C-alpha cells in the first residue's frame, strides 16, 4: 500500500478524532439521550442528509454518460455488492433482527456493503493504478451511492410501512402505495430520480447550478468524518462486538472475495479486475452512519464498524494487492 493511501487513512482518523474531541468537550452542546432535535450530532447528520448528500447525488446522476459505461466491469462489482446486501438483509430479517427495530436489517446491510469510495478509494486508485485505474474507479463511484442507497431506502421504507400497519386494517395496495411514496419522496431517492430525468432530457447543468451543487457536495466528506467522531463521543463503543466484527469481516474480506470470483468468471482481467476488487475491499463509508442516524437505528454499532474497518483496511489492503499481483493478466 502506497504512502499516499496511508497518509489519507491517517488524515481520516485525525478528522474523526477532531470530531470525537469536539463531542467529548460538548462544544456544540450535550447529546439528548432521548434523540430529540437537541442532539448536535443528529442535527448535523440531518443537514448532510437533506442538503449536502442530495446535492452530490443530483449532480452525479445528472452528469453520468450511460452510453459509455463499461457494463462488464460494473456487473462484476455491483452484482456481488447488491447480492450480498440483499442476502444480509434477508438473513437479519430471518433471524428476527427487525424485532429490535424495523431498520436494523437495512442498516446492517449498508454497513457491510457501502465502501469509502471517495476519501480512501480515490487516492488508492490514483496512487496504485494511476490515471487509467482512477478513471475506472470514478466510473463505478458514479453509480455506487445511488444504487446502494436507492435499494436500501426501498427496503427500509417497506419495513417501516409494514411496522406502521401492524394492528391496522391496511390493504396490500395501500401498503405498497405508502412505501412507494415514502421511497420516492426521500432525500436520497428524489435527487437521484430528478438527476436521471435531467440527464435523460439532455439539458446539461448550467455553470452556476453546477458550481452550487459541487460546493454543497464537497461538504459531505468533512462533515461525515467529524460526525463519526462526535457519534463515538456521544454514543460510546457498543457493548457487544460480535455483530460489529462480523460486519467488518463481511466488508473487508467477504465482499472483495465475491467480486474477485465473479470478475474472473466474467473474464475480467488486469487493471479493471484489480480496481473493482480493491473498491470492494474499501472500509465502510461514512454514509452508512448517516443512513443509521436517519432511521435512528444501530448508530453506535455503525460508528464502531466505520472506525474498525478503517483501521483494519491498513492490514487487509496489502494482502489484497499482493493477491491481485498474482492474478492472470
Amino acid at each position: 500500500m502506497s504512502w499516499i493511501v496511508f497518509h489519507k487513512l491517517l488524515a481520516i482518523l485525525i478528522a474523526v478524532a477532531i470530531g470525537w474531541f469536539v463531542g467529548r468537550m460538548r462544544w456544540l452542546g450535550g447529546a439528548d439521550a432521548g434523540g430529540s432535535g437537541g442532539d448536535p450530532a443528529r442535527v448535523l447528520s440531518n443537514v448532510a442528509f437533506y442538503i449536502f448528500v442530495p446535492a452530490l447525488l443530483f449532480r452525479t446522476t445528472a452528469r453520468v454518460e450511460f452510453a459509455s459505461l463499461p457494463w462488464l466491469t460494473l456487473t462484476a462489482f455491483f452484482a456481488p455488492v447488491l447480492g450480498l446486501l440483499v442476502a444480509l438483509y434477508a438473513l437479519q430479517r430471518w433471524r428476527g433482527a427487525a424485532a429490535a427495530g424495523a431498520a436494523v436489517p437495512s442498516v446492517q446491510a449498508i454497513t457491510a456493503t457501502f465502501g469509502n469510495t471517495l476519501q480512501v478509494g480515490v487516492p488508492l486508485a490514483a496512487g496504485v493504478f494511476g490515471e487509467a485505474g482512477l478513471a475506472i474507479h470514478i466510473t463505478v463511484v458514479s453509480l455506487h451511492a445511488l444504487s446502494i442507497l436507492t435499494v436500501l431506502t426501498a427496503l427500509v421504507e417497506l419495513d417501516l410501512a409494514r411496522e406502521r400497519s401492524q394492528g391496522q386494517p391496511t390493504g396490500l395496495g395501500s401498503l405498497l402505495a405508502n412505501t412507494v411514496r415514502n421511497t420516492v419522496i426521500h432525500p436520497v431517492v428524489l435527487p437521484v430520480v430528478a438527476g436521471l430525468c435531467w440527464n435523460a432530457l439532455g439539458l446539461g447543468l448550467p455553470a452556476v447550478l453546477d458550481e452550487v451543487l459541487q460546493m454543497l457536495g464537497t461538504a459531505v466528506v468533512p462533515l461525515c468524518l467529524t460526525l463519526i467522531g462526535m457519534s463515538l463521543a456521544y454514543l460510546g463503543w457498543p457493548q457487544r462486538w460480535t455483530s460489529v466484527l462480523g460486519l467488518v469481516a463481511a466488508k473487508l474480506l467477504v465482499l472483495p472475495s465475491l467480486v474477485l470470483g465473479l470478475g474472473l468468471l466474467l473474464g475480467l482481467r488486469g487493471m479493471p479486475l484489480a480496481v473493482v476488487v480493491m473498491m470492494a475491499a474499501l472500509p465502510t463509508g461514512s454514509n452508512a452512519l448517516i443512513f443509521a442516524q436517519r432511521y435512528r437505528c444501530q448508530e453506535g454499532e455503525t460508528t464502531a464498524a466505520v472506525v474498525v474497518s478503517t483501521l483494519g483496511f491498513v492490514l487487509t489492503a496489502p494482502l489484497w494487492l499482493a493477491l491481485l499481483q498474482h492474478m492472470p493478466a
Side-chain angles (χ1 to χ4, degrees):
M1 185 169 58
S2 68
W3 282 106
I4 296 176
V5 179
F6 178 78
H7 288 160
K8 182 61 67 171
L9 289 170
L10 183 60
I12 288 173
L13 294 175
I14 291 174
V16 171
I18 291 173
W20 177 86
F21 183 76
V22 170
R24 188 73 173 176
M25 298 299 293
R26 297 300 193 264
W27 285 348
L28 300 182
D32 181 1
S36 72
D39 183 341
R42 195 177 304 282
V43 171
L44 291 177
S45 176
N46 287 335
V47 171
F49 205 81
Y50 284 97
I51 299 177
F52 301 138
V53 171
L56 179 64
L57 292 175
F58 177 82
R59 183 174 185 267
T60 300
T61 52
R63 290 160 52 95
V64 171
E65 297 182 6
F66 290 97
S68 60
L69 292 178
W71 292 108
L72 181 63
T73 303
L74 293 174
T75 301
F77 178 80
F78 284 108
V81 168
L82 296 179
L84 180 61
L85 182 154
V86 173
L88 287 174
Y89 166 83
L91 176 63
Q92 293 304 321
R93 282 195 56 83
W94 177 74
R95 294 178 59 185
V104 170
S106 298
V107 170
Q108 294 196 339
I110 193 174
T111 304
T113 55
F114 198 103
N116 192 330
T117 57
L118 295 178
Q119 302 102 303
V120 179
V122 168
L124 174 68
V128 176
F129 304 114
E131 290 186 8
L134 180 60
I136 299 172
H137 179 87
I138 293 299
T139 300
V140 181
V141 169
S142 67
L143 300 177
H144 181 255
L146 73 91
S147 60
I148 296 177
L149 291 177
T150 301
V151 171
L152 281 172
T153 297
L155 291 174
V156 72
E157 289 297 339
L158 178 60
D159 287 339
L160 290 172
R162 187 184 296 113
E163 182 182 61
R164 288 190 291 264
S165 67
Q166 288 181 354
Q168 300 179 7
T170 304
L172 178 60
S174 177
L175 178 65
L176 291 176
N178 289 334
T179 302
V180 171
R181 183 179 65 251
N182 291 335
T183 300
V184 175
I185 309 301
H186 188 277
V188 167
V189 179
L190 189 58
V192 169
V193 173
L196 291 175
C197 292
W198 192 284
N199 193 319
L201 293 173
L203 299 175
L205 290 175
V208 174
L209 177 59
D210 186 56
E211 182 70 22
V212 170
L213 293 173
Q214 183 179 24
M215 179 177 58
L216 293 175
T218 55
V220 171
V221 171
L223 181 58
C224 289
L225 290 178
T226 52
L227 272 175
I228 294 170
M230 289 182 64
S231 297
L232 273 179
Y234 290 133
L235 301 173
W237 293 99
Q239 298 295 321
R240 299 178 59 184
W241 281 88
T242 304
S243 176
V244 172
L245 295 179
L247 294 174
V248 170
K251 184 67 193 73
L252 298 181
L253 301 175
V254 176
L255 184 56
S257 299
L258 294 175
V259 172
L260 176 61
L262 182 59
L264 292 173
L265 286 176
L266 294 176
L268 205 63
R269 297 292 187 272
M271 184 178 294
L273 177 64
V275 170
V276 293
V277 169
M278 290 310 301
M279 189 169 183
L282 292 171
T284 301
S286 53
N287 275 339
L289 175 58
I290 293 183
F291 189 86
Q293 290 179 326
R294 156 74 177 177
Y295 293 103
R296 302 190 177 187
C297 175
Q298 299 273 299
E299 296 168 68
E301 290 81 356
T302 305
T303 301
V306 172
V307 175
V308 173
S309 65
T310 302
L311 293 171
F313 183 72
V314 177
L315 302 176
T316 58
L319 299 179
W320 283 113
L321 288 171
L323 176 63
L324 288 168
Q325 287 180 349
H326 295 85
M327 289 291 103

